[in-house]
Amino acid sequence: MRDLLTPLRKPGLGAALGVLFGLFAFGQPAQAAYPWELNFWLSGPKYDGRIKPCEAALGTITSQFQEKESSFWNSRLEIKAYGNIHETAFRPWQSDNIPRRYCSADVMLSDGKLHVVHYSIIEDGGFAGFGQGIEWCVTGLDRNWAYNPACKAAQP
């Protein structure tokens, strides 16, 4: 049987074949993208800053809170009422960041205790960037410490 690698073991021939392969494989010069490639679905985000008022997020917070408490913490806590709903900031950073409206409210839970909820409404922050997303934290009930200490990370 013939050994096909024997000629490649000679120092000059193996190096020459390596250089030749490198020239053919990687010798193509880099080319700039065509103009239609540069602008095809790559326009970037266009934020309008039209975000719903603070009251519009309360239904979502109520349902997500009840789902989280029952599914993950085996708790029957529910939000029963809201009060003192107010905006704390609107676009608190530079104008080219994702627009957010920060709000806070007092919440009465089903156990009769009063807590504060801090939340933000985010433009294009919903699932897969569609719709407005809502991030929220109820002080004293941030059991996985996502916004600790005292929901400070949920505030501007």
Side-chain angles (χ1 to χ4, degrees), residues 54 57-58 61 85 101-104 117-121 135-136:
C54 293
L58 301 180
I61 294 171
I85 303 163
R101 181 183 310 277
Y102 287 90
C103 305
S104 293
V117 62
H118 300 287
Y119 59 98
S120 61
I121 306 170
E135 291 182 3
W136 53 270

Side-chain angles (χ1 to χ4, degrees), residues 26-96:
F26 305 111
Q28 296 291 329
Q31 297 177 354
Y34 293 108
W36 65 273
E37 289 177 325
L38 291 173
N39 295 323
F40 186 70
W41 289 100
L42 299 176
S43 60
K46 292 186 169 104
Y47 297 116
D48 299 325
R50 290 187 298 238
I51 301 174
K52 295 180 183 177
C54 293
E55 292 80 10
L58 301 180
T60 303
I61 294 171
T62 302
S63 64
Q64 288 180 359
F65 178 80
Q66 191 275 329
E67 180 182 358
K68 180 188 82 157
E69 288 294 313
S70 64
S71 299
F72 298 109
W73 304 110
N74 196 21
S75 167
R76 295 184 180 199
L77 281 179
E78 296 179 5
I79 295 176
K80 293 296 184 183
Y82 290 92
N84 192 21
I85 303 163
H86 61 280
E87 180 181 306
T88 55
F90 179 73
R91 291 184 110 162
W93 302 296
Q94 300 170 356
S95 62
D96 57 346

